[in-house]
Amino acid sequence: MILLALETSCDETSAAVVRDGMVLSNATSSQIQLHAEYGGVVPELAAREHLRNLIPVVQTALRDAGVQPGQLDAVAATQGPGLPMALLVGFKAAQAVAFALRKPFVGINHHEAHLYSPWISTSKVLPASCRQNNSVCQQDAGSTLGFVDFGSFQPNVSLIVSGGHTMLVLVESELKHRVLGSTVDDAAGECFDKTGKLMGLPYPAGPEIDRLAEQGNPKTFDFPRPLLNDPGDDFSFSGLKTSVRYFLRDHPGILDDAQRVRDLCASIQAAIVEVLVKKTIRAAKRNHVRCVTASGGVACNRALRRELVRACEREGFMLQLAEKSLCTDNAAMIGILAERKFVQQIPASTFDEEIKPGWVLA
Ligand code: KG4
Ligand code: ZN
């Protein structure tokens, strides 16, 4: 099966071609620069930019994969959740392609797709099935090809952590998931971005805080760890943001001292990371899984990755971190999940089915 997938839920226009568990191509156009001057994603601009970028991105994905539109067996797109107007661009375009080619279409839940991104590898080592006699695989072996390593797949607790969401999901088996908890207010990425904005850092501040924190002392300032000792699996980050605001009010001039800024970044980051890691490990233990996975833009954060590695080694968990290029929103994960749904014969959405932004899972 050769499948085209589109993802336009927020500020990334992405198209991927997937074939038999292989990601043949994954072309993404990011809108970060466009939204930077507004300090956040502007939904109307995002939708217009998707309209502009979608066709070139799809053409790139097809060309990189060496696939003609007529070779496609199915089409998929993110159905929700996301920015409604942005979602509509990719969703309706994908439906139109499916309709024109008379091929099945499936709408995919964005969060559910994130659960599978940690299992996509872009390493050049091909799985045995591909090494045998597959001309498309051989042709693509030197490029950005990826495959899904479901060989080592096991029940896991998955941390999805981005600018829009922070959630813990129990993945009991393939396509069987249960949301354990999510943020009751701001997402972790939002906390990075908003505290960074208070410090005068450019949007998105997450990567910048990550960079500055590498040379800072995380123990310099003590910020709250919201809901850390709460027995549930929900998160809350708005209180941390507020305490940074008061801290800056009470320490005028601190932003003029470059080393203090690095220490501040490291201290804020340490608070966010500690909450994410401890709650993830606790959920994994309570649910008796032996594997932890993580994805979403914030999962690019170096301290978070390091601490997850440390905690999982200490507690004896297998850790499956999404590769950095696949942490942020991408169509590869949409395509991989869509293919699993087709393989398991989960019925495709009808052409007329409208976008359901809710969490629709087995
Ligand atoms: O998944 P994503 O690209 O988009 C959505 O929000 O859905 O995530 C973007 C978020 C932003 O809040 C950004 O600041 C954060 O991920 N982020 C990071 C890092 N890279 C991206 N946060 C902390 N450290 C990073 N290295
Ligand atoms: Zn996402």
Side-chain angles (χ1 to χ4, degrees), residues 195-201 212 217 219-223 243-268:
T195 53
K197 193 173 179 182
L198 293 171
M199 288 187 276
L201 299 177
L212 292 166
N217 179 355
K219 297 203 167 95
T220 314
F221 306 112
D222 190 21
F223 287 109
S243 80
V244 172
R245 179 187 291 280
Y246 290 142
F247 175 87
L248 290 171
R249 183 197 62 190
D250 297 340
H251 295 77
I254 194 170
L255 297 179
D256 299 331
D257 181 334
Q259 186 51 42
R260 292 275 103 171
V261 171
R262 293 187 201 108
D263 293 338
L264 188 52
C265 287
S267 302
I268 295 167

Side-chain angles (χ1 to χ4, degrees), residues 188-205:
E190 212 175 337
C191 187
F192 272 107
D193 295 340
K194 288 182 174 167
T195 53
K197 193 173 179 182
L198 293 171
M199 288 187 276
L201 299 177
Y203 172 86

Side-chain angles (χ1 to χ4, degrees), residues 24 31 127 167 215 233 307 325 353 355:
L24 301 183
Q31 304 178 6
M167 52 171 60
Q215 287 147 29
D233 293 316
E307 291 305 318
S325 63
E353 200 163 342
I355 290 176

Side-chain angles (χ1 to χ4, degrees), residues 7 9 110-111 114 160 162 165 296-297 327-329 333:
E7 151 66 37
S9 65
H110 180 86
H111 296 322
H114 266 301
I160 305 175
S162 72
H165 307 279
C327 277
T328 47
D329 294 342
M333 65 183 190

Side-chain angles (χ1 to χ4, degrees), residues 60-351:
T60 304
L62 289 170
R63 193 194 57 225
D64 289 354
V67 164
Q68 299 294 323
Q71 291 176 275
L72 295 172
D73 298 303
V75 187
T78 306
Q79 180 162 330
L83 302 172
M85 291 298 289
L87 280 167
L88 270 170
V89 176
F91 190 83
K92 289 296 175 191
Q95 278 186 322
V97 172
F99 182 77
L101 296 174
R102 301 189 187 288
K103 298 295 178 188
F105 169 81
V106 65
I108 293 293
N109 180 292
H110 180 86
H111 296 322
E112 190 183 4
H114 266 301
L115 300 175
Y116 294 90
S117 57
W119 303 92
I120 304 174
S121 164
T122 55
S123 75
K124 300 294 185 287
V125 184
L126 302 182
S129 57
C130 184
R131 265 183 260 123
Q132 281 160 12
N133 207 1
N134 187 324
S135 59
V136 176
C137 293
Q138 282 163 7
Q139 173 195 323
D140 257 67
S143 69
T144 54
L145 168 150
F147 70 94
V148 180
D149 183 14
F150 277 115
S152 53
F153 180 88
Q154 43 176 299
N156 61 77
V157 160
S158 191
L159 173 69
I160 305 175
V161 65
S162 72
H165 307 279
T166 303
M167 52 171 60
L168 281 170
V169 183
L170 172 63
V171 184
E172 292 175 46
S173 60
E174 248 188 81
L175 305 182
K176 188 154 184 261
H177 325 113
R178 187 155 57 84
V179 180
L180 300 171
S182 56
T183 182
V184 295
D185 41 54
D186 291 354
E190 212 175 337
C191 187
F192 272 107
D193 295 340
K194 288 182 174 167
T195 53
K197 193 173 179 182
L198 293 171
M199 288 187 276
L201 299 177
Y203 172 86
E208 191 63 8
I209 291 180
D210 181 348
R211 191 181 66 78
L212 292 166
E214 286 294 300
Q215 287 147 29
N217 179 355
K219 297 203 167 95
T220 314
F221 306 112
D222 190 21
F223 287 109
R225 271 70 171 153
L227 295 189
L228 179 60
N229 297 315
D230 185 271
D233 293 316
D234 284 338
F235 297 94
S236 164
F237 290 104
S238 69
L240 173 56
K241 178 188 66 189
T242 309
S243 80
V244 172
R245 179 187 291 280
Y246 290 142
F247 175 87
L248 290 171
R249 183 197 62 190
D250 297 340
H251 295 77
I254 194 170
L255 297 179
D256 299 331
D257 181 334
Q259 186 51 42
R260 292 275 103 171
V261 171
R262 293 187 201 108
D263 293 338
L264 188 52
C265 287
S267 302
I268 295 167
Q269 179 176 273
I272 298 172
V273 167
E274 184 180 342
V275 173
L276 292 174
V277 173
K278 285 197 172 153
K279 297 200 79 152
T280 303
I281 296 292
R282 204 188 298 154
K285 280 186 186 167
R286 190 175 351 97
N287 288 284
H288 308 292
V289 296
R290 300 310 312 154
C291 178
V292 165
T293 74
S295 63
V298 178
C300 290
N301 182 271
R302 282 171 285 183
L304 176 60
R305 295 175 85 87
R306 271 197 306 267
E307 291 305 318
L308 278 172
V309 169
R310 249 181 233 147
C312 286
E313 272 174 10
R314 194 175 55 237
E315 304 290 344
F317 289 116
M318 170 189 167
L319 176 64
Q320 195 84 15
L321 283 171
E323 291 183 14
K324 285 191 178 181
S325 63
L326 296 169
C327 277
T328 47
D329 294 342
N330 63 83
M333 65 183 190
I334 304 296
I336 286 298
L337 175 56
E339 194 182 50
R340 303 308 286 184
K341 293 206 166 190
F342 279 116
V343 167
Q344 303 211 9
Q345 298 192 325
I346 291 175
S349 314
T350 66
F351 287 144

Side-chain angles (χ1 to χ4, degrees), residues 7-45:
E7 151 66 37
T8 62
S9 65
C10 189
D11 60 345
E12 257 99 27
T13 316
S14 186
V17 179
V18 167
R19 174 178 174 160
D20 303 332
M22 304 277 306
V23 180
L24 301 183
S25 64
N26 181 47
T28 303
S29 168
S30 172
Q31 304 178 6
I32 283 185
Q33 291 309 323
L34 174 73
H35 300 286
E37 70 172 288
Y38 303 97
V41 178
V42 183
E44 170 78 18
L45 290 183

